Amino acid sequence: MTLPLSFYQENRQKLMAQLPDNSVVIVPSGGEKIRNRDVEFLFRPESDFFYLTGFGEPDSVLVLMKMDDVESHLFVRPKDPKQETWQGRRLGVECAAETLGVNHAWCIDELDEGILSLLENSASVYLSFSQSSDWVISLYEWISELKKKIRQGVEAPHQICDLDPVLHEMRVIKSEVEIKCLRQAAAISVQGHLAAMKSVSSSSFEYQVQAELEAEFVRQGSPRVAFNSIIASGKNACVLHYTENRSAIEPGVLVLVDAGAEWQGYAGDITSTFPANGVFSPAQAQLYTLVLNAQQAAIRTIKPGVSYDVVHQASVQVLTQGLLELGLLKGSLEQLIEDEAFKCFFMHGTGHWLGMDVHDVGQYKKQQKWRSFEVGMVLTVEPGLYISAEHSQVDSKWHNIGIRIEDDVVVTESGCEILTKGLPRTVNEIETWMRPFLGTKAS
Ligand code: GLY
Ligand code: MN
């Protein structure tokens, strides 16, 4: 499935409908980045650009204008047979307008003169202050060039505005088409996590689990991971964004896998935690069940009108109560919650917006107040507990256990839909599911 051009055209139209007349919007794709010497990182366009064009080539710039009408201009790399033989095909200027449904295509080499002509007589220029701030210098140069033509009657823009509040607000609320893509990203991610669980007992190293997980993503048609996969066994799971994935998987540890596939530019984001040898120890099972209870309590709160922070409060309530019962915290429940005593074991939020970016764009608060859920918002729900051995005050049976359980949900009229269905989640479900796949490790 590729998304129809109309999806991107409508996004452009919706954006421009919200801007005043005489506005110009500049959205760059970003360029290739060197990894080392002459090796580049795999290119992936900036999400704002992809949301408005569906175009995947680097060194492209979208310019939208709202003068008498709305016009779309796209600057792209020119055709270059020699470069294309080495680096891959380019769409080229000649085909870009028709293929991508924009009004005019330009060669990226004409950017300066092209943008100068497009900025003439406009009043406001919009660009992303979070992603394109390095364009402000060029913008000032273009504006000062235009100001030199004042005696010829040329007007230059007199406002530079942040595009983020308008465009990112659009991206927070997902359309049906976007939810379908997120559902597919989630479904592929689920298949990858099942492959990881299947392989773990016969894997000696974290990277072997990563290989099975990501092979499944690729097999299912995902072009790339949505973020670097985390395969963290034992104490590595207490490092929240551990991505080395090089350690040996010791017998009896838990393995935390936080990974997601990308689909049509949309991200899946799942965390599963399961025992390397298919069976939880009593301490692991107790902490795991506590995190799962917190996650389920958090998911149950999600429906339109509920404030965003209620989700976190729900998981904090369950986790603190459980930590108290298990003896990892001491004191009164109310006081511990007020003091945020859980933070030494649960140091992140309960989730984040999810979309084209894994930590998707959009405000969490408005006028300093947590915003309320609306139909079409998509978020992750991912409480965790991380008990590193540095916590010498707690019984050593809890040490080096890191657990996170993460699912992706979309807010619906009646509550929420879990996009990442299909994974065994309770201790019993996981042990039962893993049993047929328990193998012996290759030495
Ligand atoms: N899955 C990575 C994160 O949410 O930080
Ligand atoms: Mn996440």
Side-chain angles (χ1 to χ4, degrees):
M1 181 183 85
T2 44
L3 297 189
L5 276 188
S6 58
F7 170 72
Y8 305 104
Q9 280 166 330
E10 279 165 24
N11 289 345
R12 296 198 290 269
Q13 276 156 11
K14 270 191 229 156
L15 170 65
M16 296 312 280
Q18 297 175 65
L19 300 185
D21 286 344
N22 300 328
S23 296
V24 173
V25 171
I26 301 175
V27 187
S29 67
E32 285 178 316
K33 302 227 169 18
I34 292 293
R35 198 196 75 162
N36 56 295
R37 200 164 164 81
D38 57 356
V39 177
E40 287 114 15
F41 284 105
L42 195 63
F43 178 73
R44 196 281 198 182
E46 283 294 351
S47 299
D48 283 345
F49 178 84
F50 196 70
Y51 181 78
L52 295 170
T53 63
F55 188 45
E57 287 189 24
D59 303 327
S60 314
V61 181
L62 176 70
V63 180
L64 299 172
M65 302 168 61
K66 186 173 181 180
M67 307 304 255
D68 294 328
D69 282 318
V70 170
E71 271 182 24
S72 50
H73 296 255
L74 190 63
F75 292 82
V76 300
R77 299 179 305 179
K79 294 292 284 178
D80 181 337
K82 201 165 156 200
Q83 281 292 327
E84 288 180 63
T85 303
W86 286 88
Q87 311 279 16
R89 296 190 183 90
R90 298 175 174 189
L91 180 60
V93 183
E94 293 72 16
C95 293
E98 199 188 331
T99 310
L100 299 167
V102 293
N103 297 115
H104 301 283
W106 302 69
C107 176
I108 191 67
D109 300 337
E110 305 170 296
L111 185 67
D112 282 325
E113 65 232 63
I115 288 211
L116 267 178
S117 73
L118 299 176
L119 287 177
E120 248 185 56
N121 303 325
S122 66
S124 313
V125 187
Y126 286 78
L127 82 171
S128 165
F129 285 9
S130 62
Q131 269 138 339
S132 312
S133 53
D134 48 343
W135 281 66
V136 170
I137 309 259
S138 306
L139 197 49
Y140 276 130
E141 282 168 8
W142 292 323
I143 290 172
S144 69
E145 274 306 303
L146 285 179
K147 280 182 180 282
K148 288 180 193 160
K149 295 201 208 164
I150 193 163
R151 285 201 302 280
Q152 294 155 43
V154 171
E155 289 177 58
H158 52 81
Q159 279 198 101
I160 299 176
C161 309
D162 189 7
L163 184 62
D164 293 349
V166 190
L167 182 56
H168 291 180
E169 190 55 29
M170 279 174 66
R171 285 179 52 196
V172 172
I173 310 287
K174 273 71 179 179
S175 64
E176 256 320 304
V177 173
E178 293 183 280
I179 291 167
K180 272 193 189 145
C181 292
L182 283 158
R183 219 178 257 129
Q184 182 65 6
I188 296 172
S189 303
V190 164
Q191 291 307 313
H193 278 251
L194 292 175
M197 284 175 72
K198 208 169 176 175
S199 73
V200 72
S201 74
S202 52
S203 298
S204 302
F205 293 92
E206 293 163 344
Y207 53 77
Q208 293 168 339
V209 176
Q210 180 182 3
E212 297 301 326
L213 170 101
E214 293 183 6
E216 191 59 31
F217 290 174
V218 174
R219 206 174 283 126
Q220 300 280 336
S222 166
R224 56 179 90 82
V225 289
F227 54 94
N228 292 333
S229 304
I230 296 169
I231 316 291
S233 64
K235 66 178 182 189
N236 294 337
C238 297
V239 179
L240 300 181
H241 281 171
Y242 171 87
T243 49
E244 288 166 39
N245 304 347
R246 305 304 301 168
S247 295
I249 301 173
E250 304 296 342
V253 298
L254 290 183
V255 179
L256 182 157
V257 174
D258 183 348
E262 192 177 290
W263 180 255
Q264 299 298 337
Y266 288 84
D269 186 8
I270 298 179
T271 309
S272 310
T273 309
F274 43 85
N277 54 1
V279 181
F280 288 84
S281 73
Q284 290 167 349
Q286 280 176 306
L287 283 183
Y288 181 90
T289 302
L290 176 52
V291 177
L292 185 62
N293 289 343
Q295 199 224 17
Q296 288 174 344
I299 291 174
R300 277 196 298 273
T301 65
I302 299 171
K303 61 177 181 194
V306 167
S307 173
Y308 182 88
D309 64 321
V310 168
V311 181
H312 186 56
Q313 285 166 10
S315 69
V316 161
Q317 175 80 27
V318 175
L319 287 176
T320 308
Q321 168 99 43
L323 289 168
L324 197 53
E325 284 165 12
L326 295 175
L328 282 107
L329 291 178
K330 292 184 174 49
S332 84
L333 178 62
E334 292 69 29
Q335 195 60 46
L336 289 169
I337 290 177
E338 196 181 320
D339 296 346
E340 299 188 320
F342 58 87
K343 273 200 167 166
C344 60
F345 302 129
F346 173 39
M347 50 297 264
H348 55 80
T350 296
H352 50 82
W353 301 133
L354 181 72
M356 280 194 167
D357 292 306
V358 62
H359 295 162
D360 208 25
V361 291
Q363 295 297 113
Y364 289 82
K365 283 186 172 180
K366 286 189 171 178
Q367 277 107 40
Q368 277 107 55
K369 275 187 64 189
W370 292 103
R371 65 191 298 179
S372 298
F373 289 121
E374 295 169 49
V375 172
M377 288 175 162
V378 177
L379 65 152
T380 68
V381 186
E382 50 176 311
L385 285 175
Y386 314 91
I387 325 284
S388 75
E390 280 157 31
H391 294 289
S392 51
Q393 80 282 13
V394 305
D395 192 314
S396 61
K397 70 178 175 181
W398 308 116
H399 285 162
N400 295 326
I401 298 180
I403 296 164
R404 182 161 63 252
I405 305 173
E406 176 178 27
D407 282 294
D408 306 338
V409 309
V410 54
V411 182
T412 61
E413 298 283 351
S414 58
C416 70
E417 173 194 333
I418 299 177
L419 298 169
T420 41
K421 283 188 289 267
L423 288 164
R425 280 312 205 191
T426 66
V427 164
N428 191 31
E429 282 167 4
I430 290 173
E431 290 185 347
T432 308
W433 192 90
M434 288 181 75
R435 206 164 292 137
F437 306 110
L438 298 182
T440 44
K441 289 189 200 303
S443 54

